[in-house]
């Protein structure tokens, strides 16, 4: 079987937007914002080689399973069911949430205000702010057990979100770096337009076209929940499965806590 995007009848970008819309994701809802995949794993080379499979992220695995060591830790967590968890799952954080969306877009209004209001009125600690594409990839794919975030569509068409054109005072990191424009990989030559151009070329590349259906299965398809999700190391806290939650809960406090959790920490898209 060859899919429409593999036959170039529709771009990978358009197909992903179509799936997001079908699954109830929308630009109008920070809590159900369109979700896009990390497609690259190379944020260190001087030039980007889109013919080398090692340039790309493994689209058949969720962000929590991109390295063998990390995958092993999340499987261990699932098997142990940590005492502070109320349910068996691999991940207690989500790949898309209001705060993730606002943190990516924090240099643009109205997202700046949204981010600050979600943070209690101010910017976050500088070291936790989105400041580098490479370090964000390393955090989400390898280093940080509470970070499994994916991307948003703007990474493939909007260079403006990578520059601090409004000169917001975003703070200073512990190593003395003053936050300003987002740090780009060497292959982008410090140019946000070049980053977007190459990143979009990567999304539309033959490699991604050939493997994109694996990621779609994880996010929108049959590996989203149930035994297939367990096997794929792709299960999230039950509260993230909003449409599968039984919200006929008598206790209003428990119900409002669950709804608050869902709205703040993310939702699994509707299965398509």
């Amino acid at each position: 079987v060859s899919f429409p995007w593999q036959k170039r009848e529709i771009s990978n970008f358009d197909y992903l937007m179509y799936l997001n819309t079908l699954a109830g994701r929308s630009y109008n809802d920070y809590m159900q914002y369109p979700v896009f995949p990390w497609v690259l794993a190379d944020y260190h080379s001087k030039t980007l080689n889109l013919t080398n499979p090692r340039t790309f992220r493994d689209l058949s695995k969720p962000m929590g399973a991109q390295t063998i060591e990390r995958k092993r830790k999340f499987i261990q967590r699932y098997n142990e069911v940590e005492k502070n968890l109320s349910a068996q799952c691999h991940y207690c954080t989500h790949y898309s949430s209001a705060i993730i969306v606002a943190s990516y877009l924090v240099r643009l209004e109205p997202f700046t205000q949204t981010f600050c209001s979600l943070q209690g009125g101010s910017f976050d600690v500088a070291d936790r702010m989105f400041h580098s594409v490479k370090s964000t990839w390393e955090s989400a794919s390898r280093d940080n057990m509470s970070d499994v975030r994916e991307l948003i569509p703007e990474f493939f068409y909007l260079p403006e979100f990578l520059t601090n054109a409004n000169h917001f005072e975003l703070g200073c990191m512990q190593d003395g770096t003053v936050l300003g424009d987002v740090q780009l990989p060497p292959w982008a030559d410090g140019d946000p337009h070049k980053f977007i151009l190459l990143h979009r070329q990567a999304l539309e590349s033959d490699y991604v076209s050939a493997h994109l259906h694996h990621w779609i299965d994880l996010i929108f398809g049959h590996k989203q929940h149930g035994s297939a999700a367990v096997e794929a190391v792709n299960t999230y806290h039950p509260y993230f499965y909003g449409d599968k939650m039984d919200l006929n809960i008598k206790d209003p406090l428990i119900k409002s806590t669950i709804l608050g959790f869902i709205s703040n920490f993310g939702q699994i898209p509707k299965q398509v």
Side-chain angles (χ1 to χ4, degrees):
V1 180
S2 69
F3 301 101
W5 66 90
Q6 290 173 334
K7 291 191 267 184
R8 304 297 190 204
E9 290 169 7
I10 182 173
S11 70
N12 293 340
F13 182 91
D14 287 340
Y15 189 69
L16 287 170
M17 282 307 299
Y18 175 67
L19 280 178
N20 271 285
T21 305
L22 274 185
R25 316 291 286 189
S26 163
Y27 282 123
N28 299 322
D29 186 348
Y30 291 113
M31 295 171 285
Q32 296 195 76
Y33 207 77
V35 56
F36 268 58
W38 288 95
V39 292
L40 293 173
D42 181 354
Y43 298 97
H44 55 269
S45 298
K46 284 266 194 293
T47 55
L48 197 57
N49 181 0
L50 297 181
T51 61
N52 181 357
R54 296 185 63 180
T55 298
F56 296 91
R57 166 254 178 106
D58 186 342
L59 287 159
S60 70
K61 296 184 174 71
M63 289 304 290
Q66 289 295 309
T67 70
I68 293 166
E69 175 64 13
R70 186 168 155 96
K71 180 180 177 183
R72 187 185 62 72
K73 284 181 183 167
F74 280 121
I75 291 172
Q76 189 180 354
R77 172 192 278 179
Y78 181 89
N79 291 334
E80 284 174 0
V81 191
E82 293 174 358
K83 295 180 182 65
N84 62 341
L85 294 182
S86 57
Q88 194 171 33
C89 62
H90 294 108
Y91 314 117
C92 305
T93 54
H94 199 253
Y95 49 76
S96 175
S97 66
I99 195 68
I100 289 171
V101 172
S103 71
Y104 281 144
L105 298 173
V106 70
R107 290 162 180 80
L108 291 181
E109 289 288 17
F111 303 99
T112 314
Q113 296 307 315
T114 303
F115 182 83
C116 289
S117 65
L118 287 169
Q119 283 290 337
S122 61
F123 292 121
D124 198 359
V125 176
D127 286 82
R128 287 204 300 256
M129 296 276 285
F130 172 53
H131 67 278
S132 154
V133 178
K134 178 174 180 274
S135 66
T136 303
W137 159 255
E138 288 170 350
S139 170
S141 66
R142 189 187 71 199
D143 296 341
N144 185 346
M145 289 291 283
S146 61
D147 182 2
V148 292
R149 80 188 101 166
E150 292 278 9
L151 299 182
I152 53 174
E154 284 83 352
F155 272 84
F156 301 94
Y157 68 81
L158 190 72
E160 286 78 12
F161 88 97
L162 297 165
T163 60
N164 186 21
N166 292 315
H167 306 293
F168 292 119
E169 292 187 12
L170 301 170
C172 187
M173 293 168 63
Q174 283 180 343
D175 65 4
T177 306
V178 177
L179 292 200
D181 297 345
V182 175
Q183 292 168 14
L184 302 174
W187 45 258
D189 294 327
D191 180 352
H193 290 84
K194 186 172 182 182
F195 172 83
I196 295 291
L197 176 70
L198 292 173
H199 204 216
R200 182 65 172 265
Q201 285 176 1
L203 178 65
E204 303 299 340
S205 67
D206 290 342
Y207 179 91
V208 172
S209 294
H211 296 87
L212 189 58
H213 61 286
H214 296 304
W215 184 83
I216 290 167
D217 285 343
L218 294 169
I219 306 297
F220 300 106
H222 75 287
K223 292 183 180 174
Q224 206 187 56
H225 58 87
S227 58
V230 176
E231 202 174 317
V233 193
N234 193 43
T235 66
Y236 297 81
H237 193 286
Y239 289 175
F240 294 139
Y241 297 86
D243 60 337
K244 297 193 169 44
M245 281 291 299
D246 176 15
L247 289 173
N248 295 321
I249 299 158
K250 297 283 189 287
D251 187 324
L253 185 62
I254 293 174
K255 185 170 182 175
S256 71
T257 302
I258 291 172
L259 289 172
F261 188 97
I262 293 167
S263 66
N264 284 317
F265 295 104
Q267 262 177 287
I268 303 285
K270 285 191 204 126
Q271 193 171 352
V272 295

